[in-house]
């Protein structure tokens, strides 16, 4: 009889979705040995059903801390084993569909980021997944609150609570966690006057993260993913404070001198992507990027590298249609540390694109800003989500990415 049925102690013997749901309902903790067998048996549709059941029960049992802890740990084991962004989004989608999810969110943040897992063999990988989950959770709440103000209870307080918890893990040495936080705080504080969290994480690990990203950018095997991450996230780094920009400047300078051709290609590729955004909220990013390129022109002036100067100016003039361009470019024009010859290159480039009118009494022969023939380019890879970018880039040992 059903009432005499014993509560299972583990997941051994589970072969169907219904059995898996029953184990979730009983609150049986999943183990790493068991998840390997389960994922061999379950196809994508079955995993989807199981992870949705976890989400429903998490919200239902948010008032019972012990049961909630076991559900969160089991979910993190399953998500870490699958390592698919789609399954994480499935969990959060179902989680947000439940009545009372706004209250359960607070507990999910706390348990995911502070609970000690029963098994320690994979605790580092699980913690990286926990941070990725809470980053996605926070950004989803922020986006929902912007679209439907007031519908999510105490949204602003919750977002600050989440940000504080995420900042507390920023001392972790994991490059995956650092990349996740860079992405999170960039989006979270975009458009704000003060970027307190971004400034703090840049102080803590900005140099290390940028060093890693540019090292893997200039490695053929990893350049496509590194480029995608930089194109999506560097605009937010450019919004950070002066101390953060000093870190960016030193990184740019190092790789400009180390890989001049590839760095200039990056500068042009990034400028093209940023200019194409056509969004006034990125005015600060554009302003600071042009200022960085002006600083790089000073570096190039010291070695009198004409071709490199042309390439960097090619990146600068991509912003000629932005309203702030005239104001920012004036500081480059008047910079006495930049060779006058390079400023002439700039003036000719502006004439070439029609930004400056050429008078009849001052005929100037325009110059070609880019090289003839087929231009080099970065490898184009499949566009992937942030979690997959982070997992890939964080899995590359920087010593091997020379």
């Amino acid at each position: 009889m059903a009432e005499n049925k014993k509560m299972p102690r583990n997941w051994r013997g589970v072969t169907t979705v219904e059995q898996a749901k029953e184990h979730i309902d009983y609150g049986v903790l999943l183990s790493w040995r068991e998840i390997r067998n389960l994922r061999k048996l379950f196809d994508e549709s079955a995993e989807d059903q199981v992870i949705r059941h976890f989400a429903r029960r998490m919200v239902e049992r948010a008032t019972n801390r012990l049961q909630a802890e076991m559900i969160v740990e089991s979910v993190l084991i399953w998500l870490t084993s699958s390592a698919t962004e789609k399954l994480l989004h499935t969990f959060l989608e179902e989680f947000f569909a439940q009545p009372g999810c706004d209250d359960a969110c607070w507990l999910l943040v706390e348990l995911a980021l502070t609970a000690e897992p029963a098994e320690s063999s994979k605790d580092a990988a699980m913690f990286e997944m926990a941070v990725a989950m809470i980053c996605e959770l926070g950004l989803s709440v922020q986006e929902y609150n912007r679209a439907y103000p007031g519908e999510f209870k105490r949204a602003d307080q919750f977002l600050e609570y989440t940000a504080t918890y995420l900042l507390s893990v920023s001392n972790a040495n994991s490059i995956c966690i650092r990349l996740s936080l860079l992405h999170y705080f960039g989006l979270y504080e975009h458009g704000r006057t003060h970027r307190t969290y971004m400034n703090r994480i840049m102080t803590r690990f900005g140099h290390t993260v940028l060093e890693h990203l540019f090292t893997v950018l200039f490695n053929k095997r990893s350049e496509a993913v590194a480029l995608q991450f930089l194109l999506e996230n560097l605009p937010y780094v450019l919004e950070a404070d002066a101390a953060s920009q000093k870190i960016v400047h030193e990184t740019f300078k190092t790789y400009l001198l180390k890989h001049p051709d590839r760095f200039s290609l990056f500068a042009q590729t990034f400028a093209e992507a940023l200019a194409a955004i056509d969004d006034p909220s990125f005015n600060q990013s554009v302003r600071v990027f042009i200022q960085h390129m002006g600083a790089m022109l000073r570096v190039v002036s010291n070695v009198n590298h004409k071709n490199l100067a042309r390439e960097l100016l090619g990146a600068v003039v991509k912003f000629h249609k932005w309203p702030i361009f005239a104001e920012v470019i004036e500081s480059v024009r008047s910079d006495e540390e930049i060779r006058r010859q390079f400023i002439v290159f700039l003036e000719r480039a502006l004439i070439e694109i029609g930004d400056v009118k050429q008078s009849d009494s001052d005929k100037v022969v325009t110059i070609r800003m880019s090289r003839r023939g087929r231009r080099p380019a970065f490898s184009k890879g499949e566009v992937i989500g942030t979690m997959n970018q982070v997992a890939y880039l964080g899995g590359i040992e920087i010593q091997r990415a020379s």
Side-chain angles (χ1 to χ4, degrees), residues 23-158:
H23 278 60
I24 296 168
D25 292 343
Y26 274 124
V28 183
L29 182 63
L30 187 60
S31 74
W32 278 100
R33 182 181 298 174
E34 292 158 352
I35 188 61
R36 281 194 289 270
N37 294 327
L38 281 167
R39 295 198 62 249
K40 287 176 187 174
L41 293 171
F42 286 8
D43 60 15
E44 189 176 315
S45 172
E47 279 197 288
D48 185 286
Q49 293 177 63
V50 172
I51 213 72
R52 287 182 184 278
H53 199 70
F54 271 125
R56 289 190 287 270
R57 292 295 177 261
M58 171 61 207
V59 177
E60 276 180 18
R61 297 176 183 178
T63 54
N64 185 319
R65 188 181 178 89
L66 181 60
Q67 288 189 22
E69 277 182 12
M70 297 181 81
I71 290 172
V72 170
E73 183 169 344
S74 296
V75 166
L76 288 173
I77 287 173
W78 200 299
L79 292 175
T80 305
S81 176
S82 75
T84 60
E85 199 160 19
K86 184 179 178 184
L87 204 60
L88 171 59
H89 289 160
T90 297
F91 173 79
L92 291 176
E93 177 187 284
E94 190 66 32
F95 183 89
F96 284 126
Q98 306 309 306
C101 70
D102 36 8
D103 289 325
C105 278
W106 298 73
L107 184 61
L108 180 57
V109 171
E110 182 191 348
L111 294 181
L113 297 181
T114 64
E116 293 288 333
E119 293 181 71
S120 60
S121 60
K122 303 276 188 180
D123 57 350
M126 282 177 66
F127 194 53
E128 289 171 353
M129 176 56 73
V131 172
M133 173 195 280
I134 300 308
C135 286
E136 287 295 318
L137 176 80
L139 293 175
S140 297
V141 170
Q142 183 180 48
E143 193 175 318
Y144 184 82
N145 188 50
R146 282 175 178 165
Y148 308 100
E151 286 200 18
F152 188 98
K153 289 190 294 187
R154 298 186 295 150
D156 291 338
Q157 294 95 317
F158 170 74

Side-chain angles (χ1 to χ4, degrees), residues 11 41 56 71 81 98 109 199 256 276 281 290 364 370 375 394:
W11 286 65
L41 293 171
R56 289 190 287 270
I71 290 172
S81 176
Q98 306 309 306
V109 171
N199 296 341
L256 172 75
S281 71
I290 293 173
V364 180
S370 56
R375 284 188 59 78

Side-chain angles (χ1 to χ4, degrees), residues 270-339:
F270 178 77
E272 197 168 320
L274 182 57
I277 294 174
D278 193 23
D279 180 346
S281 71
F282 286 95
N283 276 346
Q284 178 67 0
S285 301
V286 171
R287 181 191 306 278
V288 172
F289 181 71
I290 293 173
Q291 289 168 345
H292 277 303
M293 291 300 99
M296 293 306 103
L297 280 169
R298 280 186 232 128
V299 175
V300 173
S301 282
N302 289 333
V303 293
N304 196 20
H305 197 317
K306 296 174 187 175
N307 286 337
L308 188 50
R310 287 190 180 97
E311 296 292 326
L312 294 178
L313 288 167
V316 169
V317 298
K318 291 187 188 298
F319 299 100
H320 71 282
K321 291 183 179 177
W322 282 64
I324 65 164
F325 180 75
E327 170 201 337
V328 186
I329 206 65
E330 196 52 46
S331 65
V332 178
R333 277 188 174 121
S334 59
D335 192 328
E336 294 184 357
E337 292 183 51
I338 299 175
R339 288 175 184 262

Side-chain angles (χ1 to χ4, degrees), residues 16-23 49:
T16 67
V17 170
E18 289 310 312
Q19 288 173 332
K21 287 181 178 180
E22 188 177 63
H23 278 60
Q49 293 177 63

Side-chain angles (χ1 to χ4, degrees), residues 123-358:
D123 57 350
M126 282 177 66
F127 194 53
E128 289 171 353
M129 176 56 73
V131 172
M133 173 195 280
I134 300 308
C135 286
E136 287 295 318
L137 176 80
L139 293 175
S140 297
V141 170
Q142 183 180 48
E143 193 175 318
Y144 184 82
N145 188 50
R146 282 175 178 165
Y148 308 100
E151 286 200 18
F152 188 98
K153 289 190 294 187
R154 298 186 295 150
D156 291 338
Q157 294 95 317
F158 170 74
L159 289 169
E160 280 300 302
Y161 173 83
T162 303
T164 302
Y165 259 102
L166 287 171
L167 185 66
S168 74
V169 306
S170 63
N171 285 327
N173 287 326
S174 162
I175 196 71
C176 287
I177 288 174
R178 292 175 173 185
L179 291 170
S180 291
L181 295 180
L182 190 77
H183 173 72
Y184 180 81
F185 287 121
L187 282 170
Y188 178 58
E189 295 190 300
H190 177 60
R192 295 188 178 194
T193 306
H194 302 291
R195 295 169 180 84
T196 310
Y197 292 107
M198 177 60 88
N199 296 341
R200 289 177 71 176
I201 65 166
M202 283 297 293
T203 300
R204 287 186 184 179
F205 58 69
H207 178 81
T208 306
V209 163
L210 289 179
E211 176 78 17
H212 185 87
L213 286 170
F214 276 90
T215 300
V216 296
L217 176 68
F218 298 128
N219 181 288
K220 205 69 181 170
R221 178 170 63 98
S222 51
E223 66 180 18
V225 180
L227 180 65
Q228 188 186 341
F229 188 90
L230 282 163
L231 294 183
E232 292 175 5
N233 295 282
L234 187 56
Y236 303 116
V237 175
L238 294 173
E239 296 176 340
D241 63 5
S244 302
Q245 298 317 314
K246 188 174 180 183
I247 295 169
V248 175
H249 170 81
E250 291 302 325
T251 307
F252 279 5
K253 182 179 174 181
T254 297
Y255 286 91
L256 172 75
L257 297 172
K258 199 172 180 180
H259 302 288
D261 289 344
R262 300 300 282 175
F263 181 84
S264 63
L265 175 60
F266 165 74
Q268 293 218 21
T269 306
F270 178 77
E272 197 168 320
L274 182 57
I277 294 174
D278 193 23
D279 180 346
S281 71
F282 286 95
N283 276 346
Q284 178 67 0
S285 301
V286 171
R287 181 191 306 278
V288 172
F289 181 71
I290 293 173
Q291 289 168 345
H292 277 303
M293 291 300 99
M296 293 306 103
L297 280 169
R298 280 186 232 128
V299 175
V300 173
S301 282
N302 289 333
V303 293
N304 196 20
H305 197 317
K306 296 174 187 175
N307 286 337
L308 188 50
R310 287 190 180 97
E311 296 292 326
L312 294 178
L313 288 167
V316 169
V317 298
K318 291 187 188 298
F319 299 100
H320 71 282
K321 291 183 179 177
W322 282 64
I324 65 164
F325 180 75
E327 170 201 337
V328 186
I329 206 65
E330 196 52 46
S331 65
V332 178
R333 277 188 174 121
S334 59
D335 192 328
E336 294 184 357
E337 292 183 51
I338 299 175
R339 288 175 184 262
R340 290 302 93 190
Q341 179 187 19
F342 294 172
I343 301 303
V344 171
F345 290 167
L346 174 61
E347 300 296 346
R348 289 174 177 173
L350 294 174
I351 292 168
E352 189 173 346
I353 60 177
D355 196 67
V356 172
K357 297 241 181 342
Q358 182 181 342

Side-chain angles (χ1 to χ4, degrees), residues 224-225 228 232 379-385 388-389:
V225 180
Q228 188 186 341
E232 292 175 5
S379 300
K380 291 284 190 346
E382 178 190 355
V383 175
I384 59 177
N388 292 333
Q389 292 172 35

